Amino acid sequence: MKVVKFGGSSLCSSEQIRKVADIIRSDAERRIAVVSAPGKRSSGDTKVTDMLIALHANHTAGLDTEDALSRIIDRFASIINDLEIDQSLLTQFERTLVHYLETITSKDRLLDALKSCGEDFNAQLVSAYLNQIGVRAEYMSSKEAGILVTDEPSNAQLIESSYDTLNRLKDTDHVLVIPGFYGCSENDDIVTFPRGGSDITGAIVARGVEAELYENFTDVSFIYSAHPGLIDRPHAIREITYREMRELSYAGFGVFHDEALEPVFKKHIPVMIRNTNDPDVEGTKIVSDRAFIPEMPVIGISCDEGFTSITMNKYLMNREIGFTRRLLQILEDHRLSYEHIPSGIDNLSVILRTRQFEGNSKLEEVMADINDKLEPDSMYVEDDLALLVIVGEGMKEHVGIATKTTTALSDNGVNISMINQGASEISMMFAIAIKDARKALRAIYSNYFKEVKV
């Protein structure tokens, strides 16, 4: 049993859907397919999900929705007509959208319902096409599949009992096509997952049916050791662990959202990243453990922007019982999450994502609270920071990683604000100025991968 998930770029047009159908029927073990909404056909195109969000915006603003609605239907019509699928699907799609617009009064509920339509309509369409070409297939909604979620709009979390319900699907003798991105609450409301929603659905289904393999088809053949847009022809990773992938996803790797690994990680189900446009290439495999390659202690380098640090200095801080606990309580009181807390005996820094301070006065309020409750001798803020992260299971067994990295940054004129190494010893973080991010990434990449022939 394999669960296979197709992203928006894999399903953006009739031509791509034909490729997807060929991939499904080429392997009898691919019996469950999770699909995204149609993505962009070109750089200037619009994703169907964005069209649905625009429809919601027009409706809630009291504007005419006819044009926005027509654009969505026309997009699906172009696919259905080219694939020569039954036109009744189009009528059904339009009725569904109009029904949601006319009956759902809550703005948040309506947004989730409309956003889910991209995946839901595409699942119906793909199922119809598979049956048309002789592959026995069945569309199954998230509710029918048993994906039960918590009731927080746009931030669905799976209810654990869903796995038992999903398990009944493992003995299917035909292809099931399930829409990604959303589930249903106990009140039968549609609730969407956060970022990377279709990847999350695919992983949930794979765990539920105890799949031997979860194949994630996208528009690249591999996960690369660095962003291909920043590094010319980066090293292709053949095998990577869940831990390494989690660290890199957190630090900006866009191929796989970090939350989407959690369901399969717990059951050690391997994940294969594959390319819809080059399906014979095996791609990158994400596994629980891998063999250590001595000449390759670092497997990937990533850099993510948009961080702010607050640094506190206080003489004898290390002797003050409860200092860090009280700092964390202040962050919790202001509903702020932190990324790293590097510290010394008389100083401590907390690094947070800058977006948490946008459009509000939380930064000023937090600093006032810190002054009042912790009484630091001094305090300062650094913004416009980037976090450069190097990752590799082999770092635990390799001497000199930090020296090699700091030397590369120093030789290229990059100042380091902070360094932090995780307790797992498979990652190391360097806080640098955003303006130096690209230069730093290239400098470190050249150090670790220039001569790699693996």
Side-chain angles (χ1 to χ4, degrees):
M1 159 70 79
K2 295 177 184 177
V3 171
V4 56
K5 181 262 175 183
F6 295 97
S9 60
S10 300
L11 296 159
C12 64
S13 65
S14 56
E15 178 186 0
Q16 289 300 108
I17 289 176
R18 288 190 180 96
K19 293 178 185 178
V20 165
D22 287 340
I23 289 168
I24 292 172
R25 68 176 172 182
S26 69
D27 188 342
E29 293 183 354
R30 292 175 178 142
R31 293 202 298 277
I32 299 181
V34 175
V35 303
S36 297
K40 291 184 178 182
R41 294 162 293 189
S42 63
S43 59
D45 199 14
T46 305
K47 297 178 181 179
V48 164
T49 301
D50 290 336
M51 292 182 182
L52 291 160
I53 292 171
L55 174 63
H56 174 267
N58 285 0
H59 178 79
T60 54
L63 303 175
D64 181 62
T65 58
E66 186 175 343
D67 182 60
L69 186 62
S70 295
R71 289 183 65 211
I72 296 164
I73 297 302
D74 288 348
R75 180 69 184 275
F76 282 105
S78 67
I79 298 173
I80 287 173
N81 291 337
D82 198 33
L83 295 177
E84 299 180 346
I85 299 173
D86 188 346
Q87 294 285 317
S88 64
L89 273 180
L90 274 180
T91 304
Q92 184 178 322
F93 293 170
E94 185 167 7
R95 283 176 180 166
T96 299
L97 291 171
V98 171
H99 174 71
Y100 288 157
L101 291 171
E102 291 180 347
T103 61
I104 301 177
T105 56
S106 164
K107 289 183 180 180
D108 291 341
R109 295 287 184 204
L110 178 60
L111 179 59
D112 271 12
L114 291 175
K115 284 194 299 184
S116 74
C117 290
E119 278 75 11
D120 196 64
F121 294 173
N122 227 18
Q124 296 178 55
L125 192 159
V126 170
S127 176
Y129 180 65
L130 286 170
N131 280 295
Q132 182 171 289
I133 62 173
V135 178
R136 188 180 166 210
E138 175 189 355
Y139 154 76
M140 181 171 281
S141 70
S142 289
K143 180 181 178 179
E144 292 170 323
I147 301 175
L148 188 65
V149 296
T150 56
D151 199 11
E152 184 182 353
S154 298
N155 191 35
Q157 303 297 317
L158 189 77
I159 293 174
E160 197 74 11
S161 61
S162 298
Y163 289 122
D164 294 331
T165 309
L166 284 163
N167 192 255
R168 79 190 194 284
L169 305 179
K170 68 181 181 181
D171 297 322
T172 179
D173 59 355
H174 57 279
V175 176
L176 300 178
V177 186
I178 299 173
F181 191 35
Y182 76 95
C184 284
S185 71
E186 292 178 334
N187 295 325
D188 277 348
D189 286 313
I190 293 171
V191 191
T192 59
F193 289 110
R195 290 189 316 154
S198 290
D199 285 337
I200 293 172
T201 304
I204 286 169
V205 173
R207 176 179 168 181
V209 300
E210 300 171 331
E212 292 294 322
L213 183 67
Y214 171 36
E215 294 180 306
N216 193 297
F217 278 85
T218 180
D219 55 2
V220 295
S221 295
F222 297 99
I223 296 168
Y224 294 94
S225 54
H227 195 298
L230 301 175
I231 300 295
D232 184 37
R233 290 181 295 174
H235 173 73
I237 299 172
R238 305 285 174 170
E239 195 169 68
I240 186 171
T241 66
Y242 294 119
R243 294 179 295 274
E244 291 169 325
M245 192 67 237
R246 156 74 171 136
E247 295 277 357
L248 289 169
S249 294
Y250 155 77
F253 264 43
V255 174
F256 215 103
H257 192 256
D258 52 355
E259 289 181 25
L261 285 175
E262 191 266 344
V264 289
F265 165 76
K266 287 191 173 180
K267 291 294 181 181
H268 306 290
I269 297 170
V271 180
M272 185 71 80
I273 304 297
R274 308 190 73 161
N275 190 341
T276 305
N277 301 312
D278 198 1
D280 293 331
V281 176
E282 286 197 351
T284 300
K285 195 171 189 179
I286 308 174
V287 294
S288 295
D289 295 290
R290 66 177 179 88
F292 168 53
I293 303 171
E295 61 270 33
M296 195 175 172
V298 172
I299 199 167
I301 302 168
S302 188
C303 194
D304 198 10
E305 301 178 355
F307 294 90
T308 296
S309 72
I310 304 172
T311 298
M312 291 140 273
N313 299 294
K314 190 173 186 180
Y315 190 63
L316 299 178
M317 180 188 290
N318 64 313
R319 298 189 185 179
E320 188 170 330
I321 296 172
F323 188 92
T324 305
R325 178 191 60 76
R326 283 179 285 146
L327 171 63
L328 295 179
Q329 185 62 57
I330 290 171
L331 297 181
E332 182 180 346
D333 291 344
H334 290 273
R335 299 189 61 79
L336 295 169
S337 63
Y338 72 92
E339 307 298 318
H340 299 273
I341 305 186
S343 64
I345 58 171
D346 290 331
N347 55 70
L348 182 151
S349 298
V350 57
I351 301 176
L352 310 96
R353 289 196 180 268
T354 306
R355 64 171 178 259
Q356 297 181 97
F357 302 123
E358 293 171 355
N360 57 55
S361 57
K362 282 188 177 182
L363 181 57
E364 293 79 8
E365 292 167 4
V366 165
M367 292 182 68
D369 263 6
I370 291 173
N371 261 325
D372 180 49
K373 297 175 182 177
L374 300 180
E375 300 179 336
D377 297 331
S378 63
M379 177 169 52
Y380 63 90
V381 172
E382 284 185 275
D383 51 18
D384 293 330
L385 291 176
L387 296 189
L388 184 69
V389 178
I390 61 173
V391 176
E393 297 276 0
M395 288 168 57
K396 294 180 288 187
E397 311 294 332
H398 200 89
V399 176
I401 294 291
T403 301
K404 191 173 183 179
T405 303
T406 55
T407 299
L409 295 176
S410 176
D411 289 347
N412 286 271
V414 177
N415 183 55
I416 302 170
S417 295
M418 271 169 273
I419 302 175
N420 194 32
Q421 182 168 19
S424 66
E425 296 185 52
I426 71 163
S427 69
M428 193 175 294
M429 179 279 290
F430 301 84
I432 59 175
I434 285 179
K435 64 181 179 62
D436 293 329
R438 181 170 294 204
K439 178 170 61 173
L441 187 69
R442 289 175 174 171
I444 295 179
Y445 181 86
S446 179
N447 248 15
Y448 288 108
F449 294 99
K450 190 173 182 181
E451 305 301 328
V452 170
K453 302 297 181 185
V454 179

